[in-house]
Amino acid sequence: METAAREFQIMVKTIGAICNLDCHYCYYLEKENLYPKGTNFRLDDETLERYVIQHIQATPGEIVSFSWHGGEPTLLGVDFFRKAVALQKQHLPAGKKIINGIQTNGTTIDDEWCEFLAKEAFYIGLSLDGPRELHDHYRVTKGQKPTHKQVVQAFHMLRKAKVHVDLLTVVHDVNVKYPTQVYRYLKEIGGQYLQFLPLVEKTGEPNNPVHKRSVPAAAYGNFLSTIFDEWVRHDVGKIFIQLFDESVRPFLGMEHALCIYRETCGDVPVVEHNGDFYSCDHYVLPEHKIGNIHERPLAEMVEDPKQREFGQAKWTSLPKYCRECEVLSMCNGGCPKDRIIKTPDGEEGLNYLCAGLKSFFSHSKPYFKRFSELVEAGEPAEKLMEIVRATDAKASARQAGRNDPCPCGSGKKYKRCCGGARPGA
C-alpha cells in the first residue's frame, strides 16, 4: 500500500524532544527518555528522504502538508530545511502541491531564516502566551531566563518578511485570568491568526488529576467567552481565531477540521526523529507505537487497524452525558487525552474542560448559527458585527450615557462604539 485511504497530517519530530527552552508546562521534553542516552536526536539524511518520499506517496489528495515539530525544529538549522525542500521538489509528482509548516518558539529566528521561510512560503506557528509578564511566567530558557523579547522580535521579523504566522497561546492558570489583556495585546502587535491552546497537565493522582499550572475549566470558558464577545463586535473578518472558525463549521454542514472536535480522530500521528510512528502527539508512548518507516510504509501505518481503533475509540468511549449534550456537535467530547474526570452521574471519561467548553459553546452557539445564516445567504460575515452591536445599542440605550464607557468592554466611549451602530442593522 502506497496511498492512504484518508487524509492525514503528520507531526514529524525532526529533532525529537530536544529544545533550547525549558517551558515549565511542556509535555514533550520527557519524550527524550524513550530513547537511549547519547542518542543523536536528528532526523538523518536517509530517514529524511525516506519520510519525504513516503509522505508524498501516502497522501491521497492534491495537497501534501508537511508539519515540522519538535522539540524546537529550527535547532537543526536552515540548511536542514533547504535539504528537505529540495527532496520534496525532487520527488513531487505532477498534479500535487506541497505546503510546509514549522512550529517554533521563535528564539532562533534571524534574517537568514526569514529569507528562507518567505521564499519557500512556509507557514509558521509561533508560541506567544501574551504580554511579557504572562508569557515569561512559564516560557523560559534552560537558565530560567525570560524569552518574550526574543519571540516578539521574531514575530515582527517574520511579518516584515511576509511570512504567514499563527500565534499559539497556551492558556494556563495565570494568563487565563486576563483574557482581555491577552487578546488585545496579540492584536496590538499585529497578530491576525490566533490559536488558544488549553493547558491540561495530568498528575496521575485520582484525587488531584491535574497540575496546578493547568487552566481551571470554568475559567477557560470565561476566557473564551470574554474574547468572543469582543471579537464578535469588533473583529469578525479581521482577526481569525482557530476555535471560532471550528465552532461555525457544524452550522455550515462541514466536518470539523481539528481532530480534537471531530467525532473520531487518529489522523494526526507522529513520526519521531528515527522514523518511529506513534498514534498521536499526546500519545507518544510505547503502547501507541505502530511501527517505523524503515520497516513499514507510512500509508500502511496510517491505515493500521490499531491506528483506526485508536481513532474510533474517541467516539465509542464517549459518556452518555456527552452524547445527550446540546452542544455535542461543536465539541464531540474534546480530546481524549483530557477525558480524565467523571460525569455528574459517575461515568468515567468526561473531559476535564467540559464545564468551560460547554459554557463557551452554549454562549456562542446563537451567534455562530446567525453567522452561518449570513454566509449561506451570501452576506458578508462582517455584517454579524453590525447586528450584534445594534442589538447591544438598543439594550443599552436606557442604561449608558453617550460619554460613558461602552458596555461591550471595548474601552471606547459608548457614542464611538456600540452607540454608533446603525439602528435597525
Side-chain angles (χ1 to χ4, degrees):
M1 178 190 295
E2 289 190 350
T3 304
R6 58 173 169 165
E7 297 288 347
F8 63 88
Q9 178 184 349
I10 302 288
M11 290 189 178
V12 58
K13 304 292 184 173
T14 53
I15 196 167
I18 303 303
C19 187
N20 59 329
L21 299 190
D22 189 25
C23 301
H24 296 177
Y25 54 60
C26 183
Y27 65 92
Y28 211 81
L29 291 177
E30 66 182 29
K31 301 305 177 184
E32 182 179 348
N33 298 327
L34 288 172
Y35 298 93
K37 287 187 177 181
T39 295
N40 179 13
F41 288 92
R42 180 187 178 94
L43 194 68
D44 62 42
D45 291 351
E46 180 187 356
T47 306
L48 174 62
E49 184 163 18
R50 185 180 293 263
Y51 166 65
V52 168
I53 292 172
Q54 290 190 21
H55 191 144
I56 292 172
Q57 290 176 341
T59 300
E62 176 188 348
I63 305 298
V64 186
S65 179
F66 285 84
S67 298
W68 308 96
H69 282 242
E72 175 50 44
T74 61
L75 293 179
L76 289 171
V78 179
D79 285 343
F80 172 88
F81 289 95
R82 288 196 179 103
K83 184 180 300 180
V85 169
L87 287 169
Q88 290 171 345
K89 294 175 179 177
Q90 177 184 338
H91 296 290
L92 185 68
K96 286 187 179 288
K97 177 184 177 181
I98 284 176
I99 294 177
N100 281 292
I102 292 181
Q103 185 166 321
T104 177
N105 60 42
T107 59
T108 67
I109 298 299
D110 57 17
D111 289 335
E112 184 181 16
W113 268 112
C114 289
E115 181 181 354
F116 167 76
L117 296 170
K119 177 184 176 183
E120 301 299 341
F122 270 61
Y123 287 77
I124 302 300
L126 179 66
S127 296
L128 179 62
D129 287 356
R132 177 184 56 78
E133 62 277 10
L134 299 179
H135 174 92
D136 287 337
H137 194 84
Y138 290 132
R139 298 195 63 84
V140 294
T141 67
K142 299 293 187 185
Q144 305 303 299
K145 300 296 184 183
T147 62
H148 183 265
K149 182 178 180 180
Q150 294 168 275
V151 178
V152 174
Q153 179 179 329
F155 174 67
H156 290 309
M157 291 175 67
L158 290 165
R159 284 291 305 275
K160 184 178 180 181
K162 309 297 184 187
V163 176
H164 179 105
V165 181
D166 282 66
L167 292 178
L168 281 52
T169 300
V170 173
V171 186
H172 47 70
D173 65 316
V174 179
N175 62 2
V176 72
K177 301 172 185 176
Y178 306 97
T180 302
Q181 292 92 320
V182 169
Y183 180 52
R184 291 182 183 171
Y185 174 77
L186 297 177
K187 288 197 298 181
E188 286 167 6
I189 66 170
Q192 188 178 8
Y193 301 93
L194 311 180
Q195 297 181 29
F196 296 109
L197 313 175
L199 175 64
V200 181
E201 189 176 353
K202 291 174 281 191
T203 63
E205 301 173 13
N207 298 325
N208 184 31
V210 299
H211 193 282
K212 64 181 181 180
R213 286 188 290 257
S214 301
V215 60
Y220 180 57
N222 179 70
F223 179 92
L224 294 175
S225 294
T226 300
I227 291 174
F228 175 82
D229 286 344
E230 180 160 333
W231 174 83
V232 79
R233 288 165 173 81
H234 306 287
D235 298 319
V236 176
K238 296 185 292 184
I239 304 295
F240 301 90
I241 299 175
Q242 186 186 52
L243 176 54
F244 299 173
D245 290 343
E246 280 295 313
S247 298
V248 75
R249 293 177 75 91
F251 301 101
L252 294 170
M254 301 169 65
E255 182 183 20
H256 281 293
L258 279 178
C259 59
I260 58 175
Y261 296 120
R262 291 179 186 165
E263 288 187 359
T264 60
C265 59
D267 50 7
V268 189
V270 161
V271 170
E272 256 286 349
H273 69 286
N274 66 339
D276 285 345
F277 180 106
Y278 292 90
S279 293
C280 169
D281 188 45
H282 291 282
Y283 289 85
V284 177
L285 301 164
E287 60 267 32
H288 290 286
K289 179 182 171 183
I290 305 297
N292 186 289
I293 63 172
H294 289 282
E295 300 164 358
R296 296 179 63 189
L298 187 64
E300 182 180 295
M301 290 188 285
V302 169
E303 297 296 342
D304 187 282
K306 186 178 176 181
Q307 183 69 7
R308 285 284 190 178
E309 182 181 344
F310 172 85
Q312 289 293 330
K314 182 186 179 189
W315 176 254
T316 57
S317 64
L318 198 63
K320 180 182 177 183
Y321 179 80
C322 295
R323 294 176 188 268
E324 297 176 349
C325 180
E326 60 270 21
V327 293
L328 175 61
S329 67
M330 301 176 77
C331 172
N332 286 309
C335 185
K337 76 176 179 64
D338 297 331
R339 297 180 183 178
I340 56 177
I341 62 174
K342 294 182 180 180
T343 66
D345 57 2
E347 188 178 359
E348 299 282 355
L350 184 65
N351 195 311
Y352 164 80
L353 296 168
C354 176
L357 290 172
K358 189 171 184 178
S359 172
F360 166 69
F361 288 131
S362 298
H363 173 72
S364 60
K365 184 176 180 179
Y367 297 92
F368 286 123
K369 186 174 184 298
R370 187 72 178 96
F371 186 101
S372 68
E373 291 169 353
L374 290 172
V375 172
E376 290 174 343
E379 297 278 1
E382 290 80 358
K383 189 172 182 180
L384 180 63
M385 292 187 292
E386 297 179 12
I387 294 172
V388 174
R389 290 168 60 178
T391 301
D392 288 346
K394 291 174 183 177
S396 303
R398 294 185 299 273
Q399 302 173 8
R402 287 176 54 76
N403 291 310
D404 290 339
C406 189
C408 79
S410 67
K412 300 178 182 179
K413 289 184 178 181
Y414 175 65
K415 67 182 179 182
R416 299 193 181 280
C417 190
C418 295
R422 291 185 290 134

